[in-house]
């Protein structure tokens, strides 16, 4: 990030905070003002077209030809033996990706829903009655198990006589 260009009134020292994206000042020195925000946004967007053009040059580049001196078959690996220019574009692509992300033009995250939520309106009355019956049967079963456990003395279902006093 770029450092804020604002200065302190009392000491005259430069602000140590980061400037807003695309701007030259931090929020404390006017980075929150609508005019500053719009200028910063415009400044970022001005870099999009040249960045995309450069990205297209990288994508369309012919392997085996140096972009610096134009010699063919001079490139061994990523460095031209004629002029010494590096063909490693990872830093350039990373900078372009950062610019596009800051402009809101980065990759989008999409979430796919694999199972639609259950819509009771589309189910037949018979299906709903059958499901309700299953739930009632399960409740009866659990109630019978609890009664059996109470009869066997496995569960203490008695309520305390008094609430314990808190000291």
């Amino acid at each position: 990030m770029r450092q804020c260009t604002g200065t302190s009134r009392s000491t005259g020292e430069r602000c140590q905070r980061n400037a807003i994206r695309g701007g030259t000042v931090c929020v404390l020195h006017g980075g929150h003002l609508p005019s500053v925000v719009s200028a910063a946004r415009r400044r970022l967007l001005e870099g999009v077209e040249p960045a995309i053009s450069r990205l297209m040059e990288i994508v369309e580049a012919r392997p085996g030809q140096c972009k610096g001196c134009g010699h063919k078959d001079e490139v061994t690996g990523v460095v031209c033996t004629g002029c010494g220019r590096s063909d490693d574009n990872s830093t350039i692509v990373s900078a372009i990706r950062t610019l596009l992300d800051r402009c809101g033009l980065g990759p989008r995250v999409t979430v796919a829903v694999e199972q639609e939520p259950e819509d009771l309106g589309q189910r037949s009355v018979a299906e709903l009655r059958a499901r309700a019956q299953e739930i009632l049967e399960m409740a009866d079963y659990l109630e019978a198990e609890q009664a059996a456990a109470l009869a066997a003395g496995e569960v203490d279902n008695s309520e305390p006589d008094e609430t314990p006093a808190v000291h």
Side-chain angles (χ1 to χ4, degrees):
M1 296 262 341
R2 175 183 248 176
Q3 184 181 355
C4 175
T5 58
T7 57
S8 170
R9 288 182 195 167
S10 59
T11 64
E13 292 181 12
R14 188 169 176 184
C15 178
Q16 298 298 311
R17 295 172 55 103
N18 289 330
I20 64 168
R21 288 183 179 175
T24 59
V25 292
C26 67
V27 175
L28 294 177
H29 289 108
H32 67 285
L33 297 172
S35 60
V36 175
V37 172
S38 65
R41 178 93 174 131
R42 182 181 36 80
R43 199 174 297 117
L44 281 172
L45 290 174
E46 286 174 354
V48 170
E49 190 173 333
I52 291 176
S53 296
R54 180 66 176 112
L55 189 59
M56 291 307 295
E57 288 174 9
I58 293 170
V59 169
E60 295 170 350
R62 294 186 183 133
Q65 183 176 0
C66 178
K67 293 178 210 68
C69 62
H71 291 121
K72 292 183 179 183
D73 300 326
E74 294 281 333
V75 180
T76 57
V78 293
V79 179
C80 176
T81 55
C83 66
R85 179 186 165 117
S86 173
D87 258 0
D88 183 17
N89 293 313
S90 61
T91 306
I92 296 169
V93 171
S94 177
I96 292 171
R97 181 181 296 131
T98 301
L99 173 69
L100 295 175
D101 285 344
R102 289 183 179 179
C103 291
L105 301 172
R108 301 279 187 241
V109 175
T110 56
V111 177
V113 178
E114 293 182 17
Q115 182 179 1
E116 291 292 323
E118 189 175 6
D119 185 10
L120 297 178
Q122 293 180 353
R123 295 183 77 182
S124 70
V125 174
E127 289 176 322
L128 293 174
R129 281 190 181 143
R131 181 67 181 138
Q133 185 62 37
E134 289 174 14
I135 292 171
L136 288 173
E137 287 173 3
M138 179 62 76
D140 289 342
Y141 171 76
L142 292 174
E143 207 172 88
E145 270 194 352
Q146 186 179 18
L150 280 172
E154 296 174 10
V155 178
D156 181 18
N157 198 25
S158 62
E159 294 186 19
D161 297 333
E162 295 179 12
T163 307
V166 179
H167 298 285

